[in-house]
């Protein structure tokens, strides 16, 4: 879809994704040309300078640290990871871990690392003894967060410092990325989940993933990430050579759009590289055209709702200009949802056709689950609901309760 302006593209992302806040920035030819932020958070001021969790974009930093070591001759891509880290996946090569072709399971054994504080490296290695492997090495692409935790630990051991210390010293400092951090700074967007039917906001945890940090821990701003995107296009003499970045941007397997720590996208005839990211309460997108240095970054504080791999196409098709003011922003439901409303929210059926009933703008909205189209609207009237639009306009719907008092049906006649 062609948008009149970057502001329109941003507003459309917010409305379609039900995003509490979303910040984005665009560079053309390596020069930042626009940044913006839309926020409907009722209790926090968020701007385009605010920090968001970037999830798996963190992996691109870990991958660059690994390739630095390769270029220094400290490791080779065909080295087994067991040469550096005592793991049950000792035979997995550095190359296959970078490309997600080592056959490791997607997540580590143990508690869900994204929602709880992580354990130590020793605890991670002990809990993942190699028995979770899902495929043979080189058999195919299988995305693995665990694999990048192992790569990050290899970096730490070879450098004699923690993974985060190496990130600071060898990436952030030379690139001037002073707004990228391990923990959330004071000016950060809060992680939120949006209830699909009630449109209410719920707080998500800001966990310290510790041993899993190289896979998705970091926080950053759209400004800092535009610097990182341009680095992925041009390189930097104190960080990594352009030729090595070009190697990372090549597809590791013909069938998958992934290189060495970088995703590869085809968008409107362009080849873009970068990564998407997600953590509870956050989603992110960063992609750059290495041939033109055009780049797009978007960050949001929502668990779901951002089609991260579609973001660059939306903004690269737009341009500078005044917003059209035709996109109606999504806003969360204020306050608590009334009890009589809460008990009818969710999926209901007419025959075998599913309908989703949502609470928005003080009314019930009924969407056809086959098409997503808004079919009807109702407003609360005492213990029932009055149709204001659609097939039941002007009619009163009553709740039909089971013997235990729960709602079993919604009908036009009171029983």
């Amino acid at each position: 879809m062609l948008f009149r302006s970057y502001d329109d593209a941003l507003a459309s992302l917010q409305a379609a994704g039900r995003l509490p806040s979303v910040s984005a920035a665009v560079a053309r030819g390596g020069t930042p040309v626009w940044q913006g932020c839309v926020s409907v958070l009722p209790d926090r001021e968020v701007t385009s300078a605010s920090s968001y969790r970037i999830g798996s974009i963190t992996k691109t930093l870990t991958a660059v640290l690994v390739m630095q070591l390769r270029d220094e001759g400290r490791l080779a891509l065909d080295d087994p990871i067991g040469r550096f880290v005592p793991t049950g996946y000792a035979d997995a090569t550095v190359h296959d871990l970078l490309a997600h072709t080592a056959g490791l399971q997607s997540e580590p054994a143990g508690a869900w690392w994204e929602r709880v504080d992580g354990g130590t490296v020793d605890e991670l290695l002990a809990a993942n003894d190699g028995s979770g492997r899902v495929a043979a090495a080189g058999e195919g692409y299988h995305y693995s967060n665990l694999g990048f935790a192992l790569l990050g630990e290899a970096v730490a051991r070879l450098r004699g410092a923690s993974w985060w210390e190496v990130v600071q010293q060898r990436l952030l400092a030379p690139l001037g990325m002073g707004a990228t951090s391990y923990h959330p700074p004071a000016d950060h967007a809060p992680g939120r989940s949006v209830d699909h039917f009630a449109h209410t906001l719920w707080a998500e945890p800001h966990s310290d993933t510790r041993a899993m940090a190289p896979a998705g821990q970091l926080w950053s701003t759209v400004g800092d990430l535009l610097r990182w995107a341009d680095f992925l296009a041009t390189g930097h003499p104190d960080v990594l050579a352009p030729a090595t970045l070009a190697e990372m941007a090549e597809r590791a397997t013909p069938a998958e759009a992934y290189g060495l720590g970088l995703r590869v996208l085809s968008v409107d005839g362009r080849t873009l590289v970068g990564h998407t990211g997600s953590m509870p309460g956050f989603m992110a997108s960063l992609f750059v055209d290495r041939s033109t240095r055009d780049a797009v970054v978007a960050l949001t504080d929502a668990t779901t709702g951002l089609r991260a791999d579609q973001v660059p196409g939306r903004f690269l098709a737009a341009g500078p200009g005044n917003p059209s003011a035709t996109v109606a922003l999504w806003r969360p439901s204020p306050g608590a949802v009334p009890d009589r409303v809460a008990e009818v929210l969710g999926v209901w059926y007419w025959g075998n056709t599913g309908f989703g009933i949502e609470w928005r703008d003080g009314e019930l909205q009924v969407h056809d689950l086959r098409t997503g189209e808004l079919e009807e609207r109702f407003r609360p009237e005492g213990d029932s609901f009055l149709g204001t639009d659609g097939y039941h306009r002007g009619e009163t719907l009553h709740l039909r309760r089971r013997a235990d008092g729960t709602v079993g049906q919604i009908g036009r006649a009171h029983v």
Side-chain angles (χ1 to χ4, degrees):
M1 180 182 295
L2 179 62
F3 292 98
R4 176 180 173 183
S5 71
Y6 297 131
D7 294 277
D8 286 348
L10 184 65
S12 74
L13 285 181
Q14 192 277 341
R18 304 176 178 184
L19 308 178
S21 75
V22 56
S23 183
V26 176
R28 296 286 187 175
T31 300
V33 295
W34 172 87
Q35 65 180 27
C37 180
V38 172
S39 176
V40 294
L41 287 161
D43 56 352
R44 184 77 66 91
E45 181 181 1
V46 175
T47 71
S48 56
S50 298
S51 184
Y52 291 75
R53 199 159 203 177
I54 66 173
S56 288
I57 293 175
T58 302
K59 290 182 175 69
T60 65
L61 282 75
T62 299
V64 167
L65 294 177
V66 171
M67 297 304 287
Q68 283 182 343
L69 290 164
R70 193 287 302 269
D71 286 359
E72 294 171 14
R74 305 281 297 276
L75 60 73
L77 293 183
D78 59 0
D79 278 340
I81 193 66
R83 177 183 169 190
F84 314 106
V85 182
T87 170
Y89 299 96
D91 61 332
T93 67
V94 171
H95 175 280
D96 283 346
L97 291 174
L98 286 170
H100 298 289
T101 55
L104 274 64
Q105 73 266 33
S106 57
E107 308 295 349
W112 188 2
W113 67 278
E114 296 173 319
R115 290 189 177 274
V116 299
D117 287 344
T120 66
V121 170
D122 288 344
E123 290 170 336
L124 180 72
L125 297 178
N128 294 273
D129 57 6
S131 60
R133 203 164 203 158
V134 299
E139 183 177 323
Y141 175 87
H142 188 82
Y143 191 87
S144 175
N145 285 297
L146 175 60
F148 268 75
L150 300 179
L151 289 169
E153 180 59 15
V155 168
R157 294 184 181 218
L158 286 169
R159 293 294 185 194
S162 72
W163 168 84
W164 170 236
E165 289 172 330
V166 180
V167 169
Q168 291 176 292
Q169 296 163 6
R170 303 192 66 88
L171 302 180
L172 305 185
L175 293 176
M177 294 173 61
T180 299
S181 61
Y182 185 96
H183 291 294
D187 180 18
H188 71 273
R192 293 290 182 260
S193 181
V194 180
D195 186 284
H196 181 82
F197 297 105
H199 290 248
T200 49
L201 301 181
W202 298 87
E204 290 277 24
H206 298 169
S207 59
D208 180 349
T209 59
R210 299 183 68 191
M212 289 295 298
Q217 173 69 26
L218 298 184
W219 296 70
S220 193
T221 65
V222 292
D224 254 24
L225 290 182
L226 275 188
R227 293 186 183 90
W228 182 250
D230 198 54
F231 158 73
L232 293 178
T234 64
H236 187 283
D238 296 327
V239 182
L240 207 62
T244 301
L245 287 163
E247 181 183 357
M248 295 174 67
E250 292 293 324
R251 293 174 184 246
T253 59
E256 296 298 335
Y258 208 93
L260 299 179
L262 298 177
R263 284 192 62 180
V264 184
L265 288 185
S266 296
V267 178
D268 297 331
R270 296 174 179 256
T271 298
L272 309 178
V273 300
H275 220 287
T276 58
S278 67
M279 288 289 282
F282 296 94
M283 301 188 74
S285 176
L286 177 153
F287 286 94
V288 62
D289 182 336
R290 299 186 71 251
S291 64
T292 65
R293 296 172 64 188
D294 293 346
V296 177
V297 175
L299 303 173
T300 185
D301 58 344
T303 299
T304 62
L306 184 72
R307 300 290 296 273
D309 55 352
Q310 295 182 8
V311 167
R314 284 174 175 258
F315 283 93
L316 291 175
N322 296 322
S324 63
T326 58
V327 179
L329 298 179
W330 170 86
R331 296 185 183 279
S333 297
V337 178
D339 289 342
R340 68 183 185 280
V341 169
E343 60 184 349
V344 301
L345 300 181
V347 178
W348 294 82
Y349 291 88
W350 174 256
N352 62 359
T353 301
F355 293 89
I357 299 182
E358 302 175 21
W359 176 244
R360 186 173 182 183
D361 299 328
E363 65 179 7
L364 293 179
Q365 297 187 357
V366 182
H367 293 262
D368 188 326
L369 295 182
R370 299 167 301 177
T371 64
E373 293 182 359
L374 176 62
E375 296 287 339
E376 302 190 71
R377 301 173 189 266
F378 299 87
R379 71 167 183 261
E381 289 280 335
D383 293 331
S384 58
F385 300 90
L386 179 66
T388 60
D389 188 45
Y391 183 75
H392 290 101
R393 182 174 180 269
E395 300 192 43
T396 300
L397 299 187
H398 299 276
L399 308 183
R400 301 178 181 179
R401 298 185 180 276
R402 305 182 182 93
D404 63 1
T406 60
V407 178
Q409 291 180 316
I410 303 174
R412 284 177 289 175
H414 184 65
V415 178

